[in-house]
Amino acid sequence: MTATTSLEEIARRDLADLNSHIVGPDDPGYDAARAVHNGMIDRRPALLVRCSSAEDVARCIAFARAHEAPIAVRGGGHNGGGLGVVDDGIVIDLAGMAEVAVDPDSDSVRVGGGATWADVDRATAEYGRATPSGIISTTGVGGLTLGGGLGHLTRRFGLTIDSLLGADVVLADGSLVHASATEHPELFWALRGGGGNFGVVTSFEFQTHPIGTAVMAGPTFWPIEQMPEVMRFYREFLPAAPRAVNGFLAAMTVPPVDLFPEELHLRKVCAVMWCVVGSEEEATRLLAPVHDVGTPLLHGVGPMPHPGLQSLFDGLYTKGLQCYWRADFVNELSDELIEHHHEWAQKLPSMHSTMHLYPIDGAAHDVDATDTAFNYRDAQWAEVIFGVDPDPANADAIRDWCVGYWDATHPYSAGGAYVNFMMDEGQERVRATYRGNYDRLARVKAQYDPENFFRVNQNIQPAAGA
Ligand SMILES: Cc1cc2nc3c(=O)[nH]c(=O)nc-3n(C[C@H](O)[C@H](O)[C@H](O)COP(=O)(O)OP(=O)(O)OC[C@H]3O[C@@H](n4cnc5c(N)ncnc54)[C@H](O)[C@@H]3O)c2cc1C
């Protein structure tokens, strides 16, 4: 590259047949193309390439290596730290690789590396089945899966990675391999929780699970003043409940939408968002104790098709909001910790800001800490503190609340945090998250990506001398 020839120009020459898929700084669509979900992230790549095949991906990798350009791999672009975009480098955008093919004979589904969960949920629901994912359907399958995957079906069917059967991966040397329990098993182990460190996954194959035509889902709201009582109930009730019951706890503000009674609009509440895989009768019976806790403002659990549940909050957490994240794994909700939650929940700085506690138990505990790269199998909850607001002028306020809340609660945590709920928090935090699995991940990294080419992620550094 000379001073007068930009990386984009060279790409347009060397990758001429991908020309119509390249977006550069002078293109009218550049700002839309570089934008990720988190509006706080404002990075300017040299170019973005919209790939539509593993071959396109391999060619972008070869091109980037030849020009020593950093790359970011973008699945759904939801990552809080903005890992789907990089300054002055190349974004490999997989959004065009969103094909989904259900195989009803093997109860599995094959999914392109750039699909969103909405694509998957719609297709599997046709067969009364689902693969566990998160709680927002616009999230990318790629990033969510490679980090672990926590959501409404965790207690019943495990983490998303527990349903992963195999993956097609373009490696740093441009070769395409299939990783599964029998092919490249170490790579397959590392992909299940190790993030985007090992290559570009162009296709995932998942097991699907029976959920019928609808799950029983919806929230219970309590006044925020009753949060301590609700949390003390929740810490006992949920771990002892049958796996059919999932419920993540939230401190939140009721959005002013028709779904909720007007008198609750903009009221701060403590909530549990339930999802029961079972009949209406079962859900009513299993959730009966909930009505005896405090004075619920609303108990809105009813039948809901799984894709409907998955997209329930999509309209609330839209692309472009300012988002600041902090997270922890938590084993115990002590009375003291609950008091800190109560204090900070009352200070929610905006309507969108929230704190969630996602259960990690039931089927997620069937898998051992060393069976996949996701180490914190013994944790009981994944906590995320999520400062969110549409207005950039409030960025400092949501960040300060988020950090203040985390500072108060972190001393009670189990140590690391779920990688998909982290921003850029440094190497020590990444190590704390993988604990005893870090060294093995570093060896797999040294084997499959010895030069740390894939480094725009929660980075695992190649083991020295491996
Ligand atoms: C509103 C909101 C709600 C969320 N809710 C949940 C939830 O309920 N449960 C949960 O588990 N997580 C949740 N998340 C977190 C989410 O899992 C992470 O943000 C995840 O990184 C998003 O994946 P993505 O593909 O959309 O992101 P991207 O920003 O595109 O990518 C994130 C990382 O994954 C890598 N990557 C993505 N796709 C591939 C691929 N095909 N091959 C290789 N590397 C790839 C990227 O390089 C990058 O390092 C939520 C996020 C948001 C914004």
Side-chain angles (χ1 to χ4, degrees):
M1 186 170 42
T2 69
T4 52
T5 315
S6 71
L7 192 62
E8 180 201 348
E9 286 168 313
I10 301 172
R12 288 194 185 281
R13 186 193 65 206
D14 291 0
L15 305 171
D17 53 316
L18 290 179
N19 226 321
S20 61
H21 302 280
I22 292 175
V23 184
D26 295 330
D27 290 322
Y30 176 71
D31 282 335
R34 70 189 177 90
V36 289
H37 190 269
N38 186 353
M40 269 189 196
I41 307 293
D42 180 22
R43 296 194 189 126
R44 302 185 67 84
L47 68 149
L48 302 93
V49 187
R50 294 180 167 140
C51 294
S52 49
S53 67
E55 290 70 31
D56 290 354
V57 171
R59 291 178 62 204
C60 289
I61 289 174
F63 178 81
R65 290 186 68 142
H67 295 280
E68 295 178 2
I71 58 139
V73 178
R74 178 165 328 160
H78 259 225
N79 189 269
L83 297 175
V85 64
V86 61
D87 273 329
D88 304 321
I90 302 171
V91 173
I92 297 181
D93 186 344
L94 304 174
M97 300 173 67
E99 62 287 348
V100 177
V102 178
D103 180 356
D105 295 330
S106 61
D107 292 331
S108 65
V109 60
R110 187 173 285 281
V111 181
T116 64
W117 284 103
D119 302 322
V120 182
D121 297 336
R122 262 196 310 268
T124 56
E126 296 278 316
Y127 299 87
R129 302 184 73 86
T131 294
S133 57
I135 65 151
I136 302 268
S137 81
T138 52
T139 308
V141 171
L144 182 135
T145 301
L146 296 170
L150 298 168
H152 293 299
L153 300 176
T154 302
R155 295 192 78 244
R156 180 68 187 83
F157 299 119
L159 305 184
T160 305
I161 48 173
D162 301 336
S163 293
L164 186 65
L165 300 172
D168 293 335
V169 192
V170 182
L171 302 175
D173 66 5
S175 61
L176 176 66
V177 299
H178 184 70
S180 69
T182 52
E183 294 169 74
H184 295 272
E186 277 298 284
L187 176 61
F188 186 55
W189 174 86
L191 289 175
R192 287 174 292 163
N197 272 285
F198 305 96
V200 182
V201 177
T202 53
S203 176
F204 294 90
E205 191 190 353
F206 297 103
Q207 187 77 54
T208 64
H209 305 275
I211 48 154
T213 52
V215 290
M216 292 295 300
T220 311
F221 291 156
W222 290 267
I224 198 79
E225 296 72 26
Q226 295 178 11
M227 189 168 183
E229 184 180 351
V230 175
M231 287 188 78
R232 285 195 295 270
F233 160 78
Y234 177 74
R235 74 184 174 193
E236 307 297 330
F237 173 76
L238 199 71
R243 291 176 174 201
V245 181
N246 205 91
F248 73 82
L249 185 133
M252 58 176 279
T253 304
V254 179
V257 293
D258 290 346
L259 197 61
F260 304 117
E262 212 176 320
E263 66 271 19
L264 295 184
H265 288 182
L266 298 178
R267 183 161 175 176
K268 287 182 177 137
V269 295
C270 177
V272 179
M273 179 68 198
W274 305 103
C275 171
V276 178
V277 182
S279 67
E280 194 154 359
E281 292 70 31
E282 283 168 304
T284 305
R285 180 174 53 79
L286 291 168
L287 298 182
V290 171
H291 301 281
D292 299 329
V293 183
T295 48
L297 299 166
L298 173 96
H299 181 73
V301 176
M304 212 180 279
H306 182 249
L309 170 62
Q310 289 295 104
S311 54
L312 204 58
F313 307 115
D314 288 2
L316 187 60
Y317 291 108
T318 50
K319 187 171 176 174
L321 294 170
Q322 305 284 302
C323 301
Y324 203 85
W325 300 67
R326 277 286 180 274
D328 269 317
F329 286 120
V330 181
N331 286 332
E332 202 195 330
L333 300 177
S334 66
D335 289 350
E336 214 174 279
L337 172 59
I338 287 173
E339 284 312 319
H340 288 298
H341 276 291
H342 187 209
E343 181 193 340
W344 283 90
Q346 290 177 88
K347 300 183 200 165
L348 284 165
S350 64
M351 191 271 284
H352 291 84
S353 295
T354 188
M355 185 285 299
H356 290 176
L357 277 176
Y358 291 90
I360 309 179
D361 68 347
H365 277 185
D366 290 347
V367 180
D368 200 69
T370 56
D371 288 348
T372 65
F374 187 101
N375 185 276
Y376 270 86
R377 291 286 179 168
D378 56 343
Q380 198 65 40
W381 323 100
E383 175 196 289
V384 61
I385 303 164
F386 192 31
V388 190
D389 195 78
D391 187 351
N394 292 334
D396 286 351
I398 59 172
R399 191 200 53 230
D400 291 351
W401 170 80
C402 186
V403 172
Y405 197 148
W406 187 82
D407 284 346
T409 51
H410 176 64
Y412 303 85
S413 77
Y418 174 38
V419 282
N420 275 342
F421 291 162
M422 284 162 58
M423 295 186 84
D424 185 0
E425 297 170 35
Q427 262 300 296
E428 281 315 304
R429 199 81 178 118
V430 177
R431 278 179 177 271
T433 283
Y434 291 110
R435 287 194 297 194
N437 284 345
Y438 187 90
D439 289 346
R440 183 171 168 191
L441 281 163
R443 288 195 296 277
V444 182
K445 179 80 172 173
Q447 183 183 347
Y448 287 95
D449 183 18
E451 289 164 24
N452 203 5
F453 175 70
F454 298 109
R455 59 181 179 275
V456 180
N457 42 45
Q458 298 296 350
N459 196 236
I460 291 157
Q461 317 226 317

